[in-house]
């Protein structure tokens, strides 16, 4: 086993014990221009570790035309677990003498354009966790889009994964259920304004208070029954 494979397996095992279900590593070279980080922040960082937790199907079942308070709580807990695991893996990498830059599960740096430092979807796609689906989300073969993502950038030697091919096939459930018709045949047809305005409305529901929806997530369950 190479040192890259050993590091990969050990880090994966560490977070699998703490609630992470999907783990992959992206080579940052092809995607580094799409990360909103300074040269200093990115210096020497070659890999993007992408991790995901799986959402409860039972929580999603309750979503009909709007997000539920159970979903809002679950979304928060998923973010907390992801942030904790990114922190944990960062500590472990630093203990081994390498650099690690954790990116928050859900943090925005440009409110107008709704941008984060790093798009977890771009890294997850490059790390092979899934493909960019018609719903513009990462779709994992087994769990569909019912996953939340996080990223840690690092220079610890790691084996890298490969992207997977678009696998939505003839499935268009997300397009059919979207209440504002924000989705199209291909992910680049995603209409940000329609989606964002709807999420702003949803955030006014008492107890929700966040830009969440969950309708296209519920519809995209992959091979999970
Ligand atoms: C801001 C934000 C939003 C904004 C949308 C902004 C946007 N345009 O992305 C709003 C509030 C509307 C939103 C909505 C939702 N979000 Co949101 N959101 C984020 C957040 C915090 C930042 C996203 C970001 O920076 N986007 C920036 C753009 C540049 O990146 P991108 O859209 O991923 O990719 C684009 C580029 O790659 C570009 N592109 C493609 N190829 C190429 C090639 C080149 C060369 C270039 C230059 C560009 C390019 O096109 C892509 C599509 O626009 C992320 C967390 C994170 N840090 O990633 C969560 C995140 C994307 N959201 C998520 C979710 C689940 C949702 C919702 C379902 C709400 C909910 N939780 O119920 C909806 C679904 C919307 C949808 N169908 O896409 C999850 C997605 C999980 C998954 N399975 O994919 C994330 C990753 C949070 C997480 N930690 O898991 N979100």
């Amino acid at each position: 086993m190479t040192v890259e494979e050993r590091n990969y397996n050990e880090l994966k095992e560490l977070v699998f014990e703490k609630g992470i279900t999907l783990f992959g590593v992206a080579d940052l070279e092809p995607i580094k221009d799409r990360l909103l980080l300074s040269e200093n922040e990115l210096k020497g960082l070659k890999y993007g570790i992408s991790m995901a937790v799986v959402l409860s199907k039972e929580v999603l079942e309750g979503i009909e035309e709007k997000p539920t308070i159970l979903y809002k709580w679950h979304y928060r807990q998923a973010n907390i677990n992801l942030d904790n695991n990114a922190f944990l893996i960062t500590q472990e990498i630093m203990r081994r003498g390498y650099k690690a830059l954790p990116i928050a599960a859900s943090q925005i740096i440009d409110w107008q354009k709704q941008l984060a430092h790093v798009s977890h979807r771009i890294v997850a796609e490059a790390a092979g966790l899934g493909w960019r689906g018609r719903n513009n989300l990462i779709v994992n073969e087994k769990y569909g889009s019912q996953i939340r993502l996080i990223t840690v950038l690092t220079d610890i030697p790691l084996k890298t994964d490969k992207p997977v091919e678009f696998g939505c096939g003839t499935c268009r459930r997300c397009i059919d259920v979207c209440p504002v018709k924000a989705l199209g045949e291909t992910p680049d047809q995603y209409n940000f304004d329609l989606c964002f305005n709807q999420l702003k409305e949803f955030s006014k529901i008492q107890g929700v208070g966040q830009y969440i929806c969950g309708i296209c997530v519920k519809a995209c369950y992959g091979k999970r029954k």
Side-chain angles (χ1 to χ4, degrees), residues 157-176:
L158 289 170
K159 91 170 177 182
T160 54
D161 294 290
K162 300 256 167 314
V164 293
E165 271 176 34
F166 181 80
C168 292
T170 56
C171 180
R172 291 181 175 76
R173 283 193 300 268
C174 59
I175 301 178
D176 298 341

Side-chain angles (χ1 to χ4, degrees), residues 33-34 36 71 75 79 82 103-108 113-122 125 132 135-139 144-150 183 187-188 190 192 195-196 199 211-217:
D33 297 344
R34 292 158 73 190
L36 302 184
Y71 177 59
Y75 151 93
N79 285 347
L82 289 164
I103 307 295
S106 194
Q107 189 179 53
I108 288 167
K113 296 188 193 145
Q114 289 283 304
L115 300 176
H117 284 107
V118 168
S119 161
H120 298 314
R121 287 179 288 194
I122 292 176
E125 213 175 350
R132 178 81 69 148
N135 55 8
N136 195 32
L137 297 171
I138 295 303
V139 183
S145 294
Q146 300 183 347
I147 54 174
R148 284 189 71 76
L149 303 163
I150 197 141
L183 307 175
D188 57 325
Y190 164 74
F192 166 74
C195 177
F196 189 41
L199 266 57
Y211 295 157
I212 55 170
C213 170
I215 295 174
C216 65
V217 173

Side-chain angles (χ1 to χ4, degrees), residues 15-177:
V15 292
F16 267 40
E17 281 169 13
K18 303 281 181 195
I20 293 293
T21 295
L22 302 173
F23 180 100
V25 176
D27 173 6
L28 288 185
E29 188 52 36
I31 55 173
K32 64 176 193 298
D33 297 344
R34 292 158 73 190
L35 314 178
L36 302 184
L37 292 165
S38 68
E39 267 180 40
N40 264 349
E41 285 164 327
L42 266 176
K43 204 180 320 171
L45 302 178
K46 289 174 65 179
Y47 306 104
I49 300 174
S50 180
M51 301 182 276
V53 292
V54 178
L55 297 174
S56 153
K57 210 164 173 46
E58 287 60 43
V59 168
L60 294 169
E61 279 309 321
I63 300 173
E64 299 289 347
E65 289 159 353
K66 53 182 190 299
T68 61
I69 295 183
L70 273 178
Y71 177 59
K72 182 267 180 80
W73 182 254
H74 195 52
Y75 151 93
R76 274 187 46 183
Q77 287 307 116
N79 285 347
I80 291 169
N81 180 282
L82 289 164
D83 285 330
N84 283 340
N85 273 298
F87 194 76
L88 176 71
I89 214 167
T90 296
Q91 297 300 311
E92 180 59 23
I93 293 171
M94 292 193 303
R95 222 163 48 79
R96 293 177 184 213
Y98 293 96
K99 302 178 188 178
L101 174 56
I103 307 295
S106 194
Q107 189 179 53
I108 288 167
I109 57 161
D110 181 332
W111 278 263
Q112 196 67 34
K113 296 188 193 145
Q114 289 283 304
L115 300 176
H117 284 107
V118 168
S119 161
H120 298 314
R121 287 179 288 194
I122 292 176
V123 181
E125 213 175 350
L129 261 57
W131 63 89
R132 178 81 69 148
R134 291 201 169 94
N135 55 8
N136 195 32
L137 297 171
I138 295 303
V139 183
N140 174 263
E141 190 179 11
K142 181 163 178 195
Y143 300 107
S145 294
Q146 300 183 347
I147 54 174
R148 284 189 71 76
L149 303 163
I150 197 141
T151 307
V152 176
L153 307 182
T154 184
D155 64 349
I156 189 170
L158 289 170
K159 91 170 177 182
T160 54
D161 294 290
K162 300 256 167 314
V164 293
E165 271 176 34
F166 181 80
C168 292
T170 56
C171 180
R172 291 181 175 76
R173 283 193 300 268
C174 59
I175 301 178
D176 298 341
V177 296

